[in-house]
Amino acid sequence: MTLADLIFSPQGTAELDLKSFDCGRKSVNKFFREEALDYQDELFGKTYYWVHRDRPTEVVAGFTVANASIFTKRLPNARQKKIGREVHHDKGLINYPSILLAQLGVDLKYKGSHLGQQIIDFVMQWFTSPDNKSGCRHLIVDAYDEPHLLEFYQRNGSFRLLS
Ligand SMILES: CC(C)(COP(=O)(O)OP(=O)(O)OC[C@H]1O[C@@H](n2cnc3c(N)ncnc32)[C@H](O)[C@@H]1OP(=O)(O)O)[C@@H](O)C(=O)NCCC(=O)NCCS
């Protein structure tokens, strides 16, 4: 299965059965079920889902993104120097414009389809495309400190550990 087999459904645009969504992590399930609407209403970040084409209330996967920035001084020295060479104005040197992938979940029924990896590719493409709204040089993920998860993120999308 690929994302193209599913329907993209920004939160709030359709009635969804989030009670049946289970990605295997309680905190992520709870966020999508109980917190994501307020998070969005309060302008902290936006949530997007993919739903099943034949059963449009069934959520297959979801993610939440929020604006963020990396304080340049927190980056390793070599990276700071690289940015110095890339950036041609002072403003860009203090904070590096980024997007935080605040939540990500794929329903357990669809594990093994590499949807997680496809979503990371989608988000990266989305925020670096010419019609992106604010500019973004990095995708940040605040991942649980679990070896398999860190490996997943480092394998998909060239994430690097900051601390
Ligand atoms: C993390 C998550 C989004 C990954 O989505 P996915 O569609 O299952 O992942 P993919 O199929 O794209 O994974 C790519 C590879 O990483 C591996 N992988 C992904 N998540 C893994 C996990 N939790 N444990 C071990 N391996 C994992 C997959 O086995 C796959 O390996 P392969 O290429 O050798 O087959 C999904 O497992 C999930 O919803 N987990 C619960 C919620 C969560 O922890 N979110 C992240 C919060 S930081």
Side-chain angles (χ1 to χ4, degrees):
M1 172 172 288
T2 71
L3 293 179
D5 300 318
L6 303 168
I7 298 172
F8 188 56
S9 181
Q11 176 176 254
T13 58
E15 202 64 39
L16 301 178
D17 176 15
L18 280 159
K19 281 202 192 103
S20 306
F21 176 79
D22 182 11
C23 67
R25 189 181 292 274
K26 275 186 186 163
S27 59
V28 177
N29 292 341
K30 182 171 183 285
F31 179 84
F32 287 146
R33 283 178 202 154
E34 298 173 19
E35 298 161 20
L37 275 171
D38 284 344
Y39 196 76
Q40 184 156 311
D41 284 350
E42 291 160 9
L43 301 177
F44 283 110
K46 296 195 74 167
T47 296
Y48 301 87
Y49 298 107
W50 275 274
V51 299
H52 199 281
R53 204 165 271 279
D54 300 328
R55 300 183 294 279
T57 58
E58 181 185 326
V59 175
V60 174
F63 71 90
T64 302
V65 278
N67 292 312
S69 66
I70 298 177
F71 187 46
T72 318
K73 291 266 184 273
R74 282 201 62 209
L75 294 170
N77 278 345
R79 194 76 197 162
Q80 283 187 41
K81 282 190 188 134
K82 187 164 184 286
I83 292 173
R85 288 194 297 274
E86 284 173 0
V87 175
H88 306 294
H89 47 85
D90 291 343
K91 263 193 161 193
L93 287 172
I94 298 168
N95 285 302
Y96 220 37
S98 309
I99 290 294
L100 171 68
L101 184 59
Q103 299 286 343
L104 172 65
V106 174
D107 191 282
L108 289 170
K109 290 195 286 296
Y110 299 91
K111 254 188 188 304
S113 307
H114 289 142
L115 288 176
Q117 182 185 325
Q118 291 174 53
I119 292 171
I120 289 171
D121 292 344
F122 172 90
V123 174
M124 282 190 172
Q125 202 276 329
W126 218 26
F127 282 98
T128 53
S129 72
D131 64 351
N132 86 86
K133 298 288 185 290
S134 62
C136 163
R137 293 189 60 107
H138 273 288
L139 183 61
I140 306 173
V141 60
D142 191 7
Y144 288 96
D145 191 4
E146 296 171 9
H148 56 264
L149 216 43
L150 297 181
E151 192 193 316
F152 164 76
Y153 283 118
Q154 285 175 98
R155 210 166 1 134
N156 300 299
S158 317
F159 286 98
R160 284 189 221 160
L161 282 175
L162 266 188
S163 56

